[in-house]
């Protein structure tokens, strides 16, 4: 190099030392970067696996019978959504388990009543307390009929809950079907002094539906029996049919004492009785309205209850909506 015409000398650089230094620096940087990457990867993996481990532990606890376990959702990502879905599933399982226990307790209670009556009457006959006559056998026969009715209702509900309730669909004229059921109740209504009638407005286009006639007859029988049971003498039970759009509205209205407001949300529950003092023999099994709702749901319809009915001060009205069959 020349500066101001004079040549400057440059010390010789040791290439081997320079290469060694560069290699050491690169290796050190690589090791540091690798360690940092490893630590970050471990942190990320921990963040991912911790919710999964929690879900696994919670699932194990549920498998062992602890249905109250829940997991804490973290964030709004897929894992957080999975945790929320898991909690929803666990809550549903817990609710179903409670319903199952309640059902078993209710069934045991309902079976105990007629069985105790049968046992008591038979023991009285065996001990000679009552003579073996037809009149003394009548209570045993009535309790046996109640047991059969209860078993049939439970079987119907079990099939409906499992989605295996067999329905034989055909074209059914609701007006004719209900008229036939009404005729079977007229003697009882006449004896009790209750007016029983069916009204179909002239503008009603059609009362035909696609349904199972025996099941729809069961619905009509149950609703009318309940209405007559709760309607005092000189009262009335009115059934009316009216098409609204592509549906037919089937209403059963009575002038009875009505249903308390706090009882209405539970009226379709199993074994629920708004009047807890009613006898099993006179008040049914407590499954009738539950079965009615299951049957109507299977027909793609809905059922609601209002007490008192609109524009009335007392009574009860059940409204069933079913799709019209043209």
């Amino acid at each position: 190099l020349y500066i101001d015409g004079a040549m400057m000398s440059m010390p010789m650089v040791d290439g081997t030392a320079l290469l060694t230094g560069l290699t050491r620096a690169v290796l050190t940087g690589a090791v540091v970067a690798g360690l940092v990457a490893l630590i970050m990867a471990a942190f990320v993996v921990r963040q991912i696996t911790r919710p999964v481990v929690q879900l696994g532990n919670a699932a194990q606890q549920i498998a062992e019978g602890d249905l109250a376990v829940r997991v804490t959702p973290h964030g709004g990502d897929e894992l957080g959504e999975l945790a929320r879905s898991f909690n929803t599933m666990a809550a549903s399982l817990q609710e179903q388990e409670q319903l199952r226990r309640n059902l078993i307790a209710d069934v045991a209670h309902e079976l105990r009543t007629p069985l105790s009556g049968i046992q008591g009457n038979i023991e009285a006959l065996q001990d000679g307390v009552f003579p073996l006559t037809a009149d003394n056998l009548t209570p045993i026969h009535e309790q046996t009929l109640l047991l059969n009715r209860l078993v049939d209702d439970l079987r119907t509900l079990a099939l409906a809950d499992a989605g295996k309730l067999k329905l034989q669909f055909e074209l059914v004229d609701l007006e004719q079907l209900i008229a036939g059921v009404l005729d079977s109740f007229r003697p009882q209504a006449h004896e009790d002094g209750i007016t029983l009638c069916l009204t179909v407005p002239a503008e009603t286009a059609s009362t035909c539906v696609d349904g199972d006639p025996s099941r729809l007859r069961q619905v009509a029988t149950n609703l009318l029996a309940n209405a007559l049971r709760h309607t005092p003498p000189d009262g009335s039970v009115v059934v009316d049919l009216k098409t609204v759009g592509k549906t037919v509205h089937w209403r059963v209205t009575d002038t009875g004492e009505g249903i308390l407001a706090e009882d209405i949300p539970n009226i379709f529950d199993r074994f629920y009785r708004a009047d807890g003092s009613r006898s099993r023999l006179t008040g049914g099994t407590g499954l009738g309205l539950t079965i009615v709702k299951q049957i109507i749901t299977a027909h793609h319809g809905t059922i609601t209850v209002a007490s008192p009915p609109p524009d009335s001060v007392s009574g009860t009205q059940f409204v069933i909506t079913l799709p019209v069959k043209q």
Side-chain angles (χ1 to χ4, degrees), residues 241-255:
L241 297 171
K242 181 180 180 180
T243 52
V244 179
K246 296 183 179 181
T247 62
V248 57
H249 287 197
W250 168 9
R251 299 186 297 184
V252 180
T253 309
D254 65 60
T255 57

Side-chain angles (χ1 to χ4, degrees), residues 37-56:
L38 187 61
I39 292 172
M40 293 182 63
F43 177 77
V44 172
V45 170
R46 177 63 177 171
Q47 291 296 106
I48 295 176
T49 58
R50 184 172 57 181
V52 175
V53 171
Q54 290 180 348
L55 284 171

Side-chain angles (χ1 to χ4, degrees), residues 101-165:
R101 292 179 180 179
N102 292 343
L103 178 60
I104 292 175
D106 289 337
V107 170
H109 176 72
E110 296 293 331
L111 290 175
R112 186 183 298 113
T113 302
L115 287 175
S116 297
I118 292 173
Q119 180 181 353
N121 281 280
I122 291 178
E123 289 176 352
L125 292 173
Q126 289 176 332
D127 295 339
V129 178
F130 298 143
L132 185 59
T133 63
D135 289 341
N136 289 330
L137 289 175
T138 298
I140 299 177
H141 182 252
E142 290 176 348
Q143 297 286 356
T144 304
L145 292 177
L146 177 59
L147 280 174
N148 284 331
R149 189 162 68 250
L150 177 59
V151 171
D152 288 341
D153 288 349
L154 287 171
R155 180 176 181 274
T156 300
L157 279 179
L159 291 174
D161 288 342
K164 296 182 180 180
L165 183 62

Side-chain angles (χ1 to χ4, degrees), residues 51-196:
V52 175
V53 171
Q54 290 180 348
L55 284 171
N57 293 335
Q60 182 62 33
Q61 288 179 265
I62 287 181
E64 294 173 355
D66 183 9
L67 300 180
V69 64
R70 300 291 186 272
V71 296
T72 303
H74 296 282
D77 56 3
E78 290 80 0
L79 287 175
E81 185 63 28
L82 178 60
R84 284 184 284 272
S85 299
F86 180 90
N87 289 339
T88 302
M89 179 199 69
S92 178
L93 288 175
Q94 188 176 24
E95 180 182 2
Q96 293 301 318
E97 176 63 16
Q98 186 61 45
L99 290 175
R100 184 187 67 83
R101 292 179 180 179
N102 292 343
L103 178 60
I104 292 175
D106 289 337
V107 170
H109 176 72
E110 296 293 331
L111 290 175
R112 186 183 298 113
T113 302
L115 287 175
S116 297
I118 292 173
Q119 180 181 353
N121 281 280
I122 291 178
E123 289 176 352
L125 292 173
Q126 289 176 332
D127 295 339
V129 178
F130 298 143
L132 185 59
T133 63
D135 289 341
N136 289 330
L137 289 175
T138 298
I140 299 177
H141 182 252
E142 290 176 348
Q143 297 286 356
T144 304
L145 292 177
L146 177 59
L147 280 174
N148 284 331
R149 189 162 68 250
L150 177 59
V151 171
D152 288 341
D153 288 349
L154 287 171
R155 180 176 181 274
T156 300
L157 279 179
L159 291 174
D161 288 342
K164 296 182 180 180
L165 183 62
K166 294 183 178 180
L167 300 175
Q168 303 296 327
F169 283 93
E170 60 183 73
L171 188 63
V172 179
D173 189 333
L174 280 180
E175 182 178 358
Q176 295 182 2
L177 183 145
I178 295 172
V181 177
L182 283 174
D183 289 340
S184 67
F185 279 99
R186 290 193 189 281
Q188 176 186 343
H190 179 73
E191 182 180 350
D192 296 339
I194 299 173
T195 302
L196 189 61

Side-chain angles (χ1 to χ4, degrees), residues 17-48:
L18 178 61
L19 181 60
T20 301
L22 289 174
T23 302
R24 185 182 297 109
V26 170
L27 290 176
T28 301
V31 170
V32 172
L35 289 175
V36 172
L38 187 61
I39 292 172
M40 293 182 63
F43 177 77
V44 172
V45 170
R46 177 63 177 171
Q47 291 296 106
I48 295 176

